[in-house]
Amino acid sequence: MAAKQRTRSRTVLLFRHFDEQACKGEIGRGSDELLSQSGAVSNGSVMSPQPNHSDNNNDAKKVKLDKNQNGKPSKVIHIRNIPNEVTEAEIIHLGIPFGRVTNVLVLKGKNQAFLEMADEVAASTMVTYFTSCMAQLRGRAVYVQFSNHKELKTDQTHSNANASAQAALQAASALSGQNETQGGPNTVLRVIIEHMVYPVTLEVLCQIFTRFGKVLKIVTFTKNNTFQALIQYPDVVTAQAAKLSLDGQNIYNSCCTLRIEYSKLTSLNVKYNNDKSRDYTNPNLPTGDPGLDATLAGLGAGELIPQLLIAGGSGGRHRGLAQDPAPGRLAPPAAGMPLAGFQMPGAAATTALSAAGIRLAGTMGSTGCVLLVSNLNEEMVTPDALFTLFGVYGDVQRVKILYNKKDSALIQMSEPHQAHLAMTHMDKLRVFGKQIRVMPSKHQTVQLPKEGQPDAGLTKDYSNSTLHRFKKPGSKNYQNIYPPSATLHLSNIPPSVSEEEIKDAFTKNGFPVKAFKFFPKDRKMALIQLPTMDDAVAALIKMHNYQLSESNHLRVSFSKSSI
């Protein structure tokens, strides 16, 4: 009797299915077919020809379809109790760490899914793994077991409804090819930040990667002038899901691109909890700064350390940067908003920590648009010089050299993130022989002098300047922002101007040229190397907007390269 019920349950399952050509966008007209007695499952949506009065009974039998299976290995895996909103890509995430995924079928109305692996070995590895480690999708426990079915059978369909499944399979296929060359999945990810226009902190990385599961450890470092991080998850599946979802995404619009691969390390050894590294499983590690550790110990701040330095504790409770990021972009965090779980300390602790040089998470994003620049060479500096130099990192609106303290100035940028960027790159930079200091100002705007008020040309408004580099939203200039260096990037060079003419122009203005090189594929651009970074900073100030011809003015910025 039980055998007859199972046979009947199988024969009433009808599915719409995909042609293999759907992966190429060649989706044809399809047909419905009965689930075959050989155990093949067609890829599509469930339909039943039974009368209404028996629908509930049949559905109940279908849900139990694989509960009665005899546990024999199959390359088709049955996943039960999935959330209604789960996507095909999320189902595929479960299988990718164990081998190549060849097909997927999600029955959202039944809270179950089928995943077909390339072979039974991969499927067996997956089932064994999730027998000892409960699988989860969107916080819900799901159950992984072998299916009675030996394959997910596909043929033509008249619906584009499963295009997302095909796209996810294509991505999985590409990823599987990468795995073969990188040595396979791992719990530790290596993250490289390309086009790093805005600073990316360890806290920002934790917020992003915690979306996919608990982050155990993070170590950040700079290699080959590129900011990188190692991020450890508790298991391969979580790491795989994060890699597949985040690789190629931008943290901020049009910049700070995540490039993710598997690390050769299987575990991270973290010695200090500070702004460079964190062990979220051990919040009692020292900061590595003897003075700071002593200050915190003096406050009796054993419980305060994880809150301040880890900003939310070790439980992975960080709020994501955006609830619904647009494809290819993660929205920036709200300025001044502390992370979830962060507890602001009392006034005494705040004062002591500020004295020790720690900026609290709740104030990290509080930089306004105005910067205070001090220790300037007052014999050399002018508003135009500061406009040009700070203009490398944002659009300068106003500059005011203080009338009674001419070694200091206020600089107003167009947006807070530009001010933060300028401060990050320019603080402690040598300009005209003096190491300047750059910090946030308490002022919200730079006031223009009133009529009759003495100023001596020390305040200038640049809001309508034609020399702003970032006026256009998503400007490519954002992708070419680099720290000060001895090598300058030149652009807008007319074809009629030779290498010797450019070198002569720099030499006549007091800047000896160490090396010069035109771009091979674009002669409008070149690199020019000065003897020192000090020379390059002065040359950028002097030579940016230098007239090369009647209609061409030189554009100068810092380069990440050397000649």
Side-chain angles (χ1 to χ4, degrees):
M1 183 67 181
K4 289 183 179 179
Q5 286 180 334
R6 284 198 296 272
T7 302
R8 183 185 175 200
S9 176
R10 290 174 181 170
T11 57
V12 298
L13 286 175
L14 287 166
F15 300 90
R16 289 175 297 176
H17 21 264
F18 256 98
D19 185 275
E20 292 175 357
Q21 300 298 321
C23 282
K24 303 177 182 178
E26 301 170 2
I27 300 174
R29 187 176 179 182
S31 60
D32 297 327
E33 96 178 10
L34 291 172
L35 180 65
S36 69
Q37 294 296 327
S38 64
V41 180
S42 296
N43 191 350
S45 56
V46 179
M47 302 173 66
S48 173
Q50 300 298 313
N52 292 339
H53 68 269
S54 62
D55 277 354
N56 292 336
N57 291 333
N58 288 327
D59 288 344
K61 293 171 185 174
K62 281 178 272 185
V63 171
K64 295 178 181 178
L65 181 66
D66 277 3
K67 289 184 179 179
N68 299 324
Q69 56 98 15
N70 53 21
K72 289 183 179 179
S74 165
K75 66 179 182 179
V76 179
I77 292 171
H78 184 206
I79 305 168
R80 295 184 289 113
N81 198 41
I82 67 172
N84 287 329
E85 66 277 10
V86 79
T87 65
E88 287 84 356
E90 288 173 282
I91 298 296
I92 291 173
H93 285 166
L94 292 178
I96 286 178
F98 306 99
R100 187 165 63 90
V101 178
T102 55
N103 213 342
V104 63
L105 169 63
V106 178
L107 307 178
K108 294 185 179 181
K110 309 303 175 188
N111 298 103
Q112 55 184 309
F114 293 92
L115 195 65
E116 182 183 271
M117 306 299 289
D119 52 56
E120 288 186 5
V121 174
S124 296
T125 304
M126 179 177 175
V127 171
T128 301
Y129 179 85
F130 286 122
T131 299
S132 58
C133 175
M134 177 62 72
Q136 286 195 346
L137 288 172
R138 303 200 178 201
R140 179 192 286 190
V142 297
Y143 304 97
V144 178
Q145 61 192 48
F146 290 117
S147 170
N148 276 339
H149 314 300
K150 297 302 180 184
E151 63 178 336
L152 289 179
K153 187 178 179 181
T154 60
D155 64 9
Q156 291 185 331
T157 182
H158 60 272
S159 170
N160 289 341
N162 283 336
S164 58
Q166 299 303 315
L169 285 167
Q170 282 183 311
S173 176
L175 190 67
S176 296
Q178 292 177 8
N179 291 345
E180 291 169 7
T181 60
Q182 293 175 2
N186 188 8
T187 57
V188 180
L189 299 177
R190 180 178 176 227
V191 181
I192 300 171
I193 310 295
E194 296 180 350
H195 307 310
M196 195 166 122
V197 176
Y198 311 130
V200 176
T201 64
L202 187 146
E203 283 82 8
V204 167
L205 290 173
C206 186
Q207 288 181 19
I208 295 170
F209 283 83
T210 298
R211 289 173 172 175
F212 300 89
K214 183 178 180 180
V215 172
L216 300 184
K217 302 173 184 178
I218 301 181
V219 176
T220 65
F221 56 96
T222 300
K223 184 177 180 180
N224 300 327
N225 292 323
T226 304
F227 181 75
Q228 302 185 28
L230 296 171
I231 299 175
Q232 182 177 344
Y233 281 110
D235 57 72
V236 172
V237 175
T238 308
Q240 178 64 71
K243 181 182 184 299
L244 183 61
S245 298
L246 291 175
D247 189 26
Q249 291 251 34
N250 296 324
I251 298 177
Y252 302 117
N253 192 17
S254 301
C255 65
C256 299
T257 306
L258 295 167
R259 298 299 178 197
I260 305 174
E261 57 190 43
Y262 294 110
S263 170
K264 295 178 181 178
L265 300 172
T266 56
S267 181
L268 299 180
N269 181 23
V270 178
K271 295 181 179 180
Y272 304 113
N273 282 338
N274 53 32
D275 62 342
K276 301 293 185 185
S277 62
R278 303 281 167 82
D279 183 343
Y280 295 99
T281 67
N282 185 6
N284 295 318
L285 288 176
T287 67
D289 182 332
L292 177 55
D293 287 331
T295 300
L296 292 171
L299 290 170
E303 294 300 318
L304 191 62
I305 292 173
Q307 291 177 328
L308 294 179
L309 297 181
I310 302 180
S314 60
R317 299 187 301 273
H318 302 272
R319 180 177 298 138
L321 290 177
Q323 294 298 321
D324 296 297
R329 180 174 66 86
L330 302 175
M337 179 183 292
L339 303 181
F342 180 83
Q343 301 295 322
M344 294 301 290
T350 303
T351 302
L353 288 164
S354 297
I358 281 192
R359 284 187 295 173
L360 303 182
T363 62
M364 284 183 177
S366 61
T367 304
C369 292
V370 180
L371 297 170
L372 173 62
V373 186
S374 58
N375 201 39
L376 293 164
N377 184 334
E378 57 185 278
E379 301 297 325
M380 299 283 291
V381 75
T382 64
D384 286 347
L386 294 174
F387 166 76
T388 301
L389 182 58
F390 279 75
V392 171
Y393 300 107
D395 292 337
V396 177
Q397 301 299 302
R398 292 177 181 176
V399 176
K400 183 183 189 72
I401 295 176
L402 304 186
Y403 187 77
N404 295 320
K405 197 176 188 320
K406 293 185 175 60
D407 69 343
S408 300
L410 295 173
I411 299 177
Q412 181 179 333
M413 311 296 286
S414 64
E415 296 180 21
H417 68 80
Q418 293 179 354
H420 192 170
L421 190 61
M423 181 172 65
T424 301
H425 288 302
M426 307 280 285
D427 186 39
K428 299 182 181 178
L429 176 69
R430 287 179 61 85
V431 180
F432 299 136
K434 298 191 72 173
Q435 189 180 63
I436 67 172
R437 296 307 310 268
V438 184
M439 62 192 72
S441 169
K442 64 181 180 180
H443 297 284
Q444 299 301 308
T445 59
V446 171
Q447 297 294 328
L448 295 175
K450 296 177 182 178
E451 289 187 22
Q453 182 178 344
D455 181 71
L458 297 177
T459 305
K460 292 191 70 172
D461 183 12
Y462 296 95
S463 56
N464 295 318
S465 173
T466 59
L467 298 179
H468 287 157
R469 300 174 188 249
F470 308 102
K471 288 185 294 186
K472 296 178 182 178
S475 168
K476 288 186 177 180
N477 288 334
Y478 274 122
Q479 300 175 20
N480 295 298
I481 291 180
Y482 302 106
S485 70
T487 305
L488 299 175
H489 179 274
L490 311 180
S491 60
N492 204 35
I493 303 171
S496 59
V497 176
S498 67
E499 174 181 336
E500 291 305 316
E501 288 177 290
I502 296 175
K503 290 163 68 173
D504 285 346
F506 275 78
T507 303
K508 288 176 182 177
N509 280 280
F511 308 112
V513 177
K514 187 176 179 181
F516 181 93
K517 180 183 178 182
F518 274 115
F519 276 52
K521 296 182 180 180
D522 189 352
R523 203 182 169 284
K524 294 179 181 179
M525 297 189 292
L527 296 178
I528 190 167
Q529 189 170 334
L530 285 298
T532 67
M533 189 189 299
D534 289 22
D535 293 327
V537 170
L540 184 145
I541 292 172
K542 180 75 173 180
M543 301 303 293
H544 182 64
N545 204 41
Y546 181 86
Q547 188 165 357
L548 291 174
S549 68
E550 290 185 6
S551 59
N552 291 84
H553 289 74
L554 192 63
R555 298 287 179 261
V556 186
S557 59
F558 294 112
S559 172
K560 67 174 180 178
S561 308
S562 59
I563 303 174

